[in-house]
Amino acid sequence: MLRLNNIEVIYSKVILVLRGVSLEVPDGQIVSILGANGAGKTTTLKAISGLLRREEGEVTRGSIEFDGQRIDRLPPEDIVQMGIVQVMEGRRLFQHLTVEENLLVGGLARRENGSQVSQDLEQVYHYFPRLKALRKRTSGYLSGGEQQMLVMGRALMAHPKLMLLDEPSLGLAPLLVEEIFNIIRKINAEEKMSILLVEQNARIALEVASHAYVMETGRVVLDGLAEQLQQNEDVKEFYLGLTQLGERKSYRDVKHYKRRKRWLG
Ligand SMILES: Nc1ncnc2c1ncn2[C@@H]1O[C@H](COP(=O)(O)OP(=O)(O)O)[C@@H](O)[C@H]1O
Ligand SMILES: [Mg+2]
């Protein structure tokens, strides 16, 4: 449903950032982009949503197709109307507005009547019950995890077919990361919504995604089924922080040490 064909992106006419990136998001699937800081993950999402042009960026080669239509020349408003919503990294909210007011902003593009809007709100609260409890709270006072829920809820208000999610786990405690990814899974399953997920947390990204791409310095260097990448030695070493030998060895060392201590004690 989404296809990037060999795209090149240049900022400010001279800074070449993406060099021939190709990727695909099939209907209803979660696809992940992994890679270190500066690899070009966010730029890839902005190329899709059209937000690139707000930063003097441009797709200078290749093409982007969504539902069979070419979108790389369209303004961001048209791309949103076609059903692609980007959730930016850094959780940008209207800090002084309440939770519910922020959600209503997310629905504005759809120009719906009152009863449809309240139905949309209930749908968001179904996935994010915490937001319902916080609906009158000023957004600036929310925790990082709650703000992440709010930016995702706001994106849901636009009823996207494809959600572009940029580093939802960034800076959150492990339990909250689990909670947020369970919700991502649930939205994907119940709404049949496709999700393109950018993550530095490769472990959790490979757990939820069906397919993943690894980016380095503006290129895709590896891609495959998530289960295959989980077993890939390079991915294990560089992105999952474990090598098979090293991990087993240290685990065994710990056990030996404990056993020896017991004998000695
Ligand atoms: N607006 C911009 N103008 C010029 N260079 C940029 C701009 N945005 C990002 N870059 C550069 O593009 C590269 C990729 O950035 P980015 O896509 O944000 O990577 P990632 O999201 O993987 O960390 C970096 O070297 C970054 O400095
Ligand atoms: Mg980024």
Side-chain angles (χ1 to χ4, degrees), residues 30 126-129 180-193 195:
I30 302 180
H126 159 72
Y127 291 112
F128 302 97
I180 282 176
F181 274 82
N182 284 336
I183 296 170
I184 292 173
R185 268 202 198 96
K186 191 171 171 189
I187 293 172
N188 167 254
E190 292 181 13
E191 304 296 318
K192 314 273 179 258
M193 186 188 297
I195 297 173

Side-chain angles (χ1 to χ4, degrees), residues 10-12 15-18 33-46 52 54-57 89 166-167 198 200 215 217-218:
I10 296 183
Y11 282 112
S12 309
I15 308 164
L16 173 63
V17 170
L18 297 189
I33 305 177
L34 312 177
N37 239 334
K41 305 181 298 297
T42 297
T43 299
T44 303
L45 296 190
K46 285 180 180 165
L52 203 59
R54 302 260 163 92
E55 299 182 28
E56 290 193 70
E89 68 185 314
D166 202 348
E167 308 228 23
V198 160
Q200 289 196 41
M215 289 186 71
T217 54

